[in-house]
Amino acid sequence: MGELVICPFCTSVWVASTLTAGQLLRPRATRTAMGALAALAGADALQLAYGALLGKTTGE
C-alpha cells in the first residue's frame, strides 16, 4: 500500500482515476478542484523556470 502512495507513476494513475470519476459524479466540484490544481501546476512551472534563470545568471 505504501508503494502506491510514494510511486509517482502509481499516484498519477490514482489521481487521474479519481478526477475521471469526479467528472462523472460531481462535475462542478471536480472542475473547481481541477482549476485549483492547474493553477498550482502553473505556479510550480514558473518557480522552476525562475530557479533555472537565476542559476544561469549567478553561474551556479
Side-chain angles (χ1 to χ4, degrees):
M1 185 65 177
E3 188 68 27
L4 292 175
V5 176
I6 62 171
C7 168
F9 178 75
C10 299
T11 303
S12 66
V13 172
W14 285 107
V15 169
S17 299
T18 302
L19 290 174
T20 300
Q23 281 287 75
L24 293 172
L25 301 173
R26 299 284 306 261
R28 180 175 285 172
T30 304
R31 277 194 306 271
T32 302
M34 290 172 72
L37 291 171
L40 181 60
D44 284 344
L46 288 173
Q47 183 64 33
L48 288 172
Y50 175 74
L53 287 173
L54 192 62
K56 284 185 177 183
T57 58
T58 60
E60 293 178 6

